[in-house]
Amino acid sequence: MDLFEAIKKRHSYRGNFKNIPIPREDLEKIVEAGIRAPSGCNEQAVEFVIVDDREKLKAIHKIIDYGFLETAQAMIICVLDHRPVFRDISFCIEDCAASTENILLAVTALGYASVWIDGHIRVDGRAKEIARLLSVPDDKEVRVILPLGIPEEPGTQNAKKPFSERAFFNVYKSTNA
């Protein structure tokens, strides 16, 4: 699939997945897309845990408690290292976002679907629980979870505001005038 087609087709999928395992070759290809994302000072402060073990998937589903996760065939967990890489600045959040978007585009290009889960795991100790389950060291943070599989239902990208309302050449122009 062409890059621009993948960008137009990428959507947040919260439906059930078909009971068809994802080949590890595809999981590696998808995560490789995340690894290839830019990172601040090329420090590469994001690591990934690829979960395809049924018992671990069930355990994560229990922690997060989103119904659609029950059918996820795999999950990609983004793990952050908050160490400063430039003076006292860490770029791990930005690095994670870039990696996550690359992963989501690769997921789409290969015919799978996913959704970016972030805020929900940052409350009620969920991220720490998932970190313990996956043996993530205490000095690292589980930040994003990407469940994936072949979608049972087709999905579409939510409507986006037109270019003229969000992008400007040379100067910012308020659209709220």
Side-chain angles (χ1 to χ4, degrees), residues 60-138:
I60 294 169
H61 169 250
K62 259 185 155 172
I63 294 166
I64 299 176
D65 197 29
Y66 278 162
F68 65 89
L69 291 183
E70 190 170 15
T71 61
Q73 297 300 301
M75 292 184 193
I76 298 168
I77 315 299
C78 300
V79 178
L80 308 187
D81 183 343
H82 286 275
R83 72 183 186 282
V85 299
F86 176 74
R87 298 185 185 177
D88 63 345
I89 302 168
S90 169
F91 295 110
C92 66
I93 302 290
E94 294 84 350
D95 294 356
C96 181
S99 292
T100 298
E101 183 61 15
N102 274 15
I103 287 170
L104 290 170
L105 291 173
V107 163
T108 301
L110 291 174
Y112 300 108
S114 186
V115 63
W116 183 326
I117 299 174
D118 182 342
H120 188 70
I121 65 170
R122 287 196 270 157
V123 295
D124 300 327
R126 291 183 184 107
K128 291 215 180 286
E129 228 180 306
I130 293 165
R132 277 192 299 278
L133 175 71
L134 302 176
S135 301
V136 173
D138 290 341

Side-chain angles (χ1 to χ4, degrees), residues 3 25 40 54 56 58 90 104 109 120 126-127 134 136 145 168 171:
L3 171 66
E25 178 181 287
R54 294 299 323 150
K56 285 198 186 309
K58 284 180 190 175
S90 169
L104 290 170
H120 188 70
R126 291 183 184 107
L134 302 176
V136 173
I145 294 184
F168 318 101
V171 295

